[in-house]
Amino acid sequence: MRYRFAIALLVGLVALPVNRGLAEKPNLLIVTVDDMSCDSVGAFGCELPGTTPNIDALAAAGLRYHHAHVQVGNCYPSRNVMFSGRYPHNTGVEGFYQVKDPDYPHMVDLMKQAGYFVGIRGKVSHSTPYQPYAWDTDLTTLDGEKQDMKNAESYYKSTRRGIEMAKGAGKPFCLNINISDPHKPFYAMGKNGAVVDDKNVPTRVFTPDEVPIPGFLFDHPDVRLELAHYYSSVRRADDCFAAVMKALRESGQDEDTVVIFLSDHGMPLPFAKTALWNHSTRTPWIVRWPGVTKPGTVDTTHMISAVDLLPTLLDIAGIRHPDGFDGRSFLPTLRGQQQPGRNLVYKVYNENSGGNRSPMRSVQSKRFGYLFNPWSDGKRVFRTATTGTLTYRAMVKLAPTDPQIAARLELFQHGVLEEFYDYENDPDALVNLIDNPDYADEVAKHRAAMRQFMVDSNDHILPAFDNRDDKQQVSAYVDKVQAEADARRANRRGGKAKTSGTAKPNPKLFQMQVPDRATPGAPYTVSIIHRIPKPLGEQKFHVTIKDAGGKRIERIIQPVSGDGELKVTFTLPENLSGKSISVAAFVGEEFANNLMYRTASEIKVSRQETP
């Protein structure tokens, strides 16, 4: 990891004109929603009327960016980009873990040194490199009581309290209010789609028959049901936003406050969250700065991204920038001015909340998007939270009899090394143009731009990108970063304190060897070479065979410790002849908290011909 300045240089970062006192500095109110797609907002073209009337009102009073993106498709690393001005490989926060010794300043540090009162509500652990961080106040808890994250009135109370505390301290405020919706659990949605009682009823509830189906999904009753709950949760997020704005208006400081609104990434359904397609990262970014931004304006010229947020906040507040930002301020665009060099954004994805690495990179222009997916080797299966959705399960259920859905499922599960899309004509990323000769020049331009981003930001993925035609080198890179993630998790579970943002390399916990063919009715043996560190003691291996539709055939659990080889033998049913199976193995007590996971798929099952 490369860091480009020392923390000691933070002293004296404030640069204020002599005739300007702290009382004249604008307040900053940064409001985020969790897991909301850009086109779920009315002002950004939502096809379903009435989803976001209050957010739309902010857009009518301010400036919205048509080409705005976050860097990452999942929230912990996405939010750390927002408030550090750095890509994940330069913050150390590439997944859902803490970095105890960052040598770069966070928004909290910079704003406090500039005389701001800094508070947060929600997503506290996701918004800083480690916890507890030195916010002036955590508004998630009021008077010793943790607030209901889905309740609109609680957001009013938290925002009001934060503004009052800043006033009492004699300081301008910088508040980060993070609205939980439409992150799951969705409104009134229980396990397996069951409708349950929910005391936090949105001001409008949508029904399955009225919701639009995103182009990257498909029309099915289960999909409609899930989307109805999602859009009702979008409306509840809008209710919470209305409560935040009510508190601001009542404070009498509305005209002295810059309001910034955005989502941390796209909806929590397949082909959106935890990925880097257009719908994964495009965010409904709105800025209302009284006296500066013009009401009802839309910027369709400039591309901005989350890495630019902190530099822009500093410019708004008149605070000198520290060294080392990957992003840059878009202040000129707030004033309606042109700013050159805003025609590309660089997007990254590394790791899910379970520590599973599926590294991806994307460079996107206003029309096109290029993606590099080194995790995709035809064998690895994409690990993501969206596989727990009704929509994903419906996709798996329908795939055996629907070739189109089967093709989408294959892309989702196994991916491809490179993708290229014309988002202007194909916003849902349905047609991969990577091998289309008509787009060869654009592909080359975007590949070159991606490499330049990698070089400029010291991205550790660069060698894999430069050797993308060498499958062994690309796979070795993925194995390396997965081993680092496994080692970090193993150290944490072994009770060792984490002292660095980058885990030290460690041998893989296990390798799985499987025969590429199987015979029905005959033994089928999976070999696991394991290297379990002593601090982990005895661990359980869970080895499972599944049919082509993902249904479990058999699971065997065996305890092991230390270094050695574990052989697990299954007997395959006779009715699998002519079909295929997959084998999955993980080590740990349960899948949700596994230490490492491996899978092998498309193993053919057939009878051997007798001579």
Side-chain angles (χ1 to χ4, degrees), residues 295-501:
T297 54
V298 183
D299 186 321
T300 60
T301 302
H302 303 96
M303 298 194 77
I304 64 170
S305 61
V307 76
D308 303 318
L309 176 58
L310 181 55
T312 305
L313 290 173
L314 297 184
D315 274 3
I316 291 171
I319 303 172
R320 185 182 305 155
H321 292 199
D323 293 334
F325 280 152
D326 291 315
R328 65 185 180 119
S329 169
F330 54 84
L331 179 64
T333 70
L334 294 175
R335 301 185 185 279
Q337 301 167 0
Q338 294 296 303
Q339 187 180 30
R342 288 210 167 273
N343 57 346
L344 293 168
V345 295
Y346 185 48
K347 308 187 293 184
V348 304
Y349 180 89
N350 292 290
E351 184 175 317
N352 74 357
S353 59
N356 302 287
R357 287 260 169 168
S358 299
M360 313 173 199
R361 299 294 186 268
S362 177
V363 63
Q364 186 164 335
S365 59
K366 284 186 283 187
R367 178 175 175 182
F368 298 108
Y370 169 76
L371 295 93
F372 172 57
N373 307 306
W375 69 272
S376 175
D377 63 356
K379 298 178 181 178
R380 294 185 180 95
V381 176
F382 185 38
R383 299 285 305 284
T384 166
T386 61
T387 57
T389 60
L390 288 180
T391 298
Y392 177 80
R393 293 171 188 168
M395 191 160 51
V396 171
K397 181 180 179 180
L398 295 173
T401 57
D402 188 320
Q404 287 187 323
I405 291 180
R408 293 292 285 168
L409 179 63
E410 171 63 20
L411 175 65
F412 185 80
Q413 290 182 330
H414 295 106
V416 292
L417 183 65
E418 293 182 286
E419 299 170 80
F420 190 76
Y421 297 103
D422 181 351
Y423 287 135
E424 187 175 286
N425 297 300
D426 179 22
D428 299 306
L430 300 178
V431 181
N432 186 2
L433 303 169
I434 193 67
D435 294 321
N436 188 321
D438 293 340
Y439 294 86
D441 289 345
E442 289 293 343
V443 170
K445 290 177 184 177
H446 284 72
R447 279 188 183 133
M450 173 174 281
R451 189 180 192 283
Q452 193 61 54
F453 272 112
M454 291 176 179
V455 171
D456 291 345
S457 67
N458 197 30
D459 193 341
H460 52 71
I461 206 170
L462 176 61
F465 178 74
D466 281 346
N467 294 283
R468 59 189 176 276
D469 294 329
D470 187 329
K471 293 183 179 180
Q472 288 187 338
Q473 288 203 46
V474 172
S475 184
Y477 165 78
V478 179
D479 286 342
K480 175 181 179 294
V481 294
Q482 183 63 63
E484 292 172 355
D486 294 338
R488 183 182 62 249
R489 287 167 60 82
N491 285 342
R492 185 174 63 203
R493 294 181 183 282
K496 297 181 180 180
K498 186 177 182 302
T499 59
S500 174

Side-chain angles (χ1 to χ4, degrees), residues 5-14 110 113 320:
F5 81 110
I7 197 73
L9 294 180
L10 291 178
V11 178
L13 287 175
V14 182
L110 298 168
Q113 290 179 14
R320 185 182 305 155

Side-chain angles (χ1 to χ4, degrees), residues 16 22 99 129 133-134 136 227 325 343 411 415 442 460 462 502 546:
L16 297 175
L22 286 177
V99 174
Y133 212 84
D136 288 316
L227 285 169
F325 280 152
N343 57 346
L411 175 65
E442 289 293 343
H460 52 71
L462 176 61
T502 303
K546 301 179 182 180

